[in-house]
């Protein structure tokens, strides 16, 4: 089983949007039985809350389910449970370091990337936080395209047959 964890700051805007979009793409590709998806935040302010209204609105417009999603914080065991940890920005990558198990831990298996590492547009390296910018449409477009390319990367790297 391939497991993918999307990470942002509070786990109410960007990472749940990426989780929902990627889950939708994985389902359409017929790979839901081999790829599991989750999201988490590096902060603890929104634990247990549903995605932000702006995220829910954009997902509703695109008929993408976010049913049952609740914010949670990153845990150290995420580094052993997940195959890929996909952060939204440099700050998230840095903050992940405080949750990572000791580097001597041989169980650590997660490969950490930033979502926009998979974007065709290399002008930006970080997904802007719509909690502050309010631009959920811009973020959705970045997430949708990058998740599609992430899926292609995983299919190739893991030798998955859709």
């Amino acid at each position: 089983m391939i497991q993918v964890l999307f990470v942002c700051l509070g786990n109410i805007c960007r990472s749940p949007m990426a989780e929902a979009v990627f889950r939708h793409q994985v389902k359409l590709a017929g790979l839901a039985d081999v790829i599991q998806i989750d999201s988490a935040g590096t902060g603890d302010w929104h634990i247990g809350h549903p995605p932000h209204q702006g995220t829910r609105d954009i997902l509703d417009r695109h008929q993408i389910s976010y049913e049952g999603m609740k914010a949670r914080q990153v845990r150290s065991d995420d580094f052993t449970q997940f195959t890929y940890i996909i952060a939204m920005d440099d700050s998230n990558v840095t903050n992940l370091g405080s949750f990572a198990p000791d580097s001597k831990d041989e169980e650590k298996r997660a490969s950490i990337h930033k979502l926009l590492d998979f974007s065709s547009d290399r002008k930006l390296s970080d997904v802007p936080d719509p909690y502050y910018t309010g631009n959920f449409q811009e973020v959705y477009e970045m997430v949708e395209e990058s998740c599609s390319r992430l899926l292609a990367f995983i299919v190739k790297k893991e030798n998955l047959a859709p």
Side-chain angles (χ1 to χ4, degrees):
M1 182 65 68
I2 307 301
Q3 295 183 316
V4 179
L5 178 68
F6 292 97
V7 174
C8 70
L9 182 60
N11 193 217
I12 60 167
C13 295
R14 297 172 292 172
S15 59
M17 184 186 297
E19 175 187 354
V21 167
F22 195 64
R23 182 174 285 131
H24 182 74
Q25 291 176 350
V26 165
K27 181 179 178 183
L28 291 176
L31 295 169
D33 58 334
V34 293
I35 301 176
Q36 290 184 337
I37 304 107
D38 195 5
S39 64
T42 58
D44 63 359
W45 312 281
H46 303 291
I47 292 173
H49 295 175
H52 185 282
Q53 187 63 52
T55 294
R56 295 193 312 257
D57 290 347
I58 198 88
L59 292 172
D60 285 343
R61 264 183 265 155
H62 293 277
Q63 299 178 330
I64 297 174
S65 175
Y66 50 85
E67 185 179 345
M69 292 174 58
K70 300 280 185 214
R72 73 170 183 88
Q73 190 173 28
V74 173
R75 302 178 303 256
S76 64
D77 67 344
D78 289 335
F79 291 85
T80 56
Q81 178 183 350
F82 288 89
T83 316
Y84 299 95
I85 297 178
I86 310 297
M88 298 297 126
D89 61 35
D90 284 329
S91 176
N92 302 148
V93 172
T94 300
N95 292 338
L96 279 167
S98 65
F99 297 95
D102 186 341
S103 61
K104 295 179 219 169
D105 185 351
E106 293 179 20
E107 293 295 315
K108 182 178 175 185
R109 67 178 192 132
S111 175
I112 299 173
H113 304 271
K114 288 195 317 184
L115 183 61
L116 292 188
D117 290 348
F118 301 96
S119 174
S120 61
D121 181 359
R122 296 298 183 161
K123 292 178 196 151
L124 293 175
S125 65
D126 292 344
V127 177
D129 192 340
Y131 185 84
Y132 301 106
T133 69
N135 198 339
F136 288 87
Q137 180 61 40
E138 173 190 40
V139 170
Y140 175 82
E141 291 168 11
M142 290 177 178
V143 164
E144 194 276 331
E145 191 256 347
S146 297
C147 280
S148 177
R149 292 170 62 95
L150 170 63
L151 180 56
F153 169 82
I154 291 172
V155 165
K156 183 177 179 180
K157 183 165 175 48
E158 303 292 338
N159 297 313
L160 302 176

